[in-house]
Amino acid sequence: MTALKEVSSNRSFGGYQKVFSHDSKELGCQMNFAIYLPPQAEDGEVPVIYWLSGLTCTEQNFTTKSGVQRYASEHGIIIVVPDTSPRGCKIPGDDDSSDFGIGAGFYVDATQEPWNKNYRMFSYVTKELPEIINSNFAALEECQSIMGHSMGGHGALICALKNPGKYRSVSAFSAICNPIISKWGQKAFSGYLGSAESANWADWDATELVKGYSGPPLEILLDQGKADHNLTTELFPDNFISACKESQVPVILHMRDGYDHSYYYIASFIEEHIKHHATYLKA
């Protein structure tokens, strides 16, 4: 069993908002994750939602800004929030920019040196972290969903599409839906995976993955602010919606007038997303 060190603990809506650190075998460094334990977890196992954050974030941004604890408490759901990349690995160039390296793991398993040793966020999020959560907390292993924002929205979508049946539902705010045509995605994929000619970028692109999805039914909810300045240059939700329709994969898209890319937007609609996931987690 992985040894956990409690970093902080705060009472919140009848439950506890905690942060733990541990030594990650997958990433080769010490990692933090935040976890909200609702009051229902004191009496037995409850469902889990994993939240994946966006560029430059840590486990703290969503935890402190979204207000998710109120709704997780109401529905009796554990919320797990990992960091967005390995930290402290001292790889040359890992802190040169905000959209690559530290805070920008893009939830892929890197294949290119020197990133392939530590930047394995996909395996961390889908394998190592769930094993830790299931072993140490009152989590219903068979009842889990995943969600995220921006880079984390991309991460949530690919985690669900590449692991059919693992998650009951998936949702995303302002997701980078088609990273192989996004400047953010192209920069990350080139560095972590190699050139488009030498690596199959489509294996890490939600719009491409959904075209071939043939797993169990997966409920997908996308949320997008119409005032998001990244909408037509980085995110491309319309491409994902079109691919879902072609593949007959159910998807819901909410376009929000006047809302941007910020946590003010996320906090405005996080209740809807928790209710959406609760429907499938408790079915």
Side-chain angles (χ1 to χ4, degrees), residues 1-112:
M1 183 179 297
T2 300
L4 299 181
K5 179 182 178 181
E6 188 172 293
V7 176
S8 64
S9 179
N10 299 93
R11 192 77 164 156
S12 179
F13 294 101
Y16 287 92
Q17 179 62 61
K18 295 176 178 285
V19 174
F20 290 90
S21 67
H22 71 101
D23 291 327
S24 169
K25 295 180 180 179
E26 197 68 62
L27 306 180
C29 66
Q30 186 177 87
M31 290 292 287
N32 282 359
F33 66 86
I35 182 168
Y36 178 71
L37 300 169
Q40 296 88 338
E42 296 179 9
D43 299 321
E45 294 181 338
V46 298
V48 183
I49 298 175
Y50 291 85
W51 168 273
L52 306 183
S53 296
L55 289 168
T56 75
C57 291
T58 69
E59 77 286 347
Q60 290 294 326
N61 298 73
F62 180 72
T63 302
T64 58
K65 296 179 180 180
S66 70
V68 71
Q69 293 85 356
R70 176 190 294 273
Y71 312 113
S73 175
E74 289 177 5
H75 293 280
I77 297 172
I78 290 173
I79 307 292
V80 178
V81 186
D83 202 346
T84 52
S85 77
R87 293 183 189 266
C89 300
K90 299 182 178 180
I91 299 173
D94 66 0
D95 62 351
D96 287 353
S97 63
S98 62
D99 55 0
F100 187 81
I102 294 174
F106 258 83
Y107 304 102
V108 301
D109 282 349
T111 59
Q112 300 299 298

Side-chain angles (χ1 to χ4, degrees), residues 188-225:
F189 285 13
S190 295
Y192 297 136
L193 305 174
S195 68
E197 291 74 25
S198 63
N200 190 2
W201 286 7
D203 282 347
W204 301 98
D205 183 302
T207 296
E208 297 300 316
L209 286 169
V210 80
K211 293 176 182 178
Y213 183 77
S214 59
L218 178 65
E219 299 300 328
I220 304 174
L221 170 62
L222 289 189
D223 214 299
Q224 177 62 58

Side-chain angles (χ1 to χ4, degrees), residues 60-235:
Q60 290 294 326
N61 298 73
F62 180 72
T63 302
T64 58
K65 296 179 180 180
S66 70
V68 71
Q69 293 85 356
R70 176 190 294 273
Y71 312 113
S73 175
E74 289 177 5
H75 293 280
I77 297 172
I78 290 173
I79 307 292
V80 178
V81 186
D83 202 346
T84 52
S85 77
R87 293 183 189 266
C89 300
K90 299 182 178 180
I91 299 173
D94 66 0
D95 62 351
D96 287 353
S97 63
S98 62
D99 55 0
F100 187 81
I102 294 174
F106 258 83
Y107 304 102
V108 301
D109 282 349
T111 59
Q112 300 299 298
E113 295 184 352
W115 311 101
N116 55 345
K117 180 180 177 181
N118 304 102
Y119 278 70
R120 297 182 50 78
M121 288 298 294
F122 179 78
S123 289
Y124 176 73
V125 167
T126 61
K127 297 176 183 178
E128 184 177 9
L129 185 57
E131 289 175 0
I132 291 170
I133 300 303
N134 295 334
S135 298
N136 290 276
F137 303 98
L140 273 172
E141 184 174 354
E142 69 278 9
C143 291
Q144 58 183 3
S145 292
I146 193 165
M147 61 194 303
H149 170 234
S150 193
M151 176 186 73
H154 144 76
L157 291 172
I158 65 168
C159 285
L161 292 168
K162 290 170 73 70
N163 289 280
K166 186 176 185 69
Y167 304 100
R168 295 282 185 92
S169 52
V170 56
S171 74
F173 292 87
S174 312
I176 303 172
C177 292
N178 203 175
I180 62 176
I181 63 169
S182 156
K183 290 182 179 178
W184 285 338
Q186 290 172 351
K187 180 176 181 179
F189 285 13
S190 295
Y192 297 136
L193 305 174
S195 68
E197 291 74 25
S198 63
N200 190 2
W201 286 7
D203 282 347
W204 301 98
D205 183 302
T207 296
E208 297 300 316
L209 286 169
V210 80
K211 293 176 182 178
Y213 183 77
S214 59
L218 178 65
E219 299 300 328
I220 304 174
L221 170 62
L222 289 189
D223 214 299
Q224 177 62 58
K226 289 185 178 180
D228 189 331
H229 64 278
N230 303 298
L231 177 56
T232 60
T233 58
E234 299 286 0
L235 308 182

Side-chain angles (χ1 to χ4, degrees), residues 210 237-247 251:
V210 80
D238 290 343
N239 293 2
F240 183 76
I241 296 299
S242 295
C244 286
K245 290 180 179 179
E246 291 176 9
S247 303
V251 62

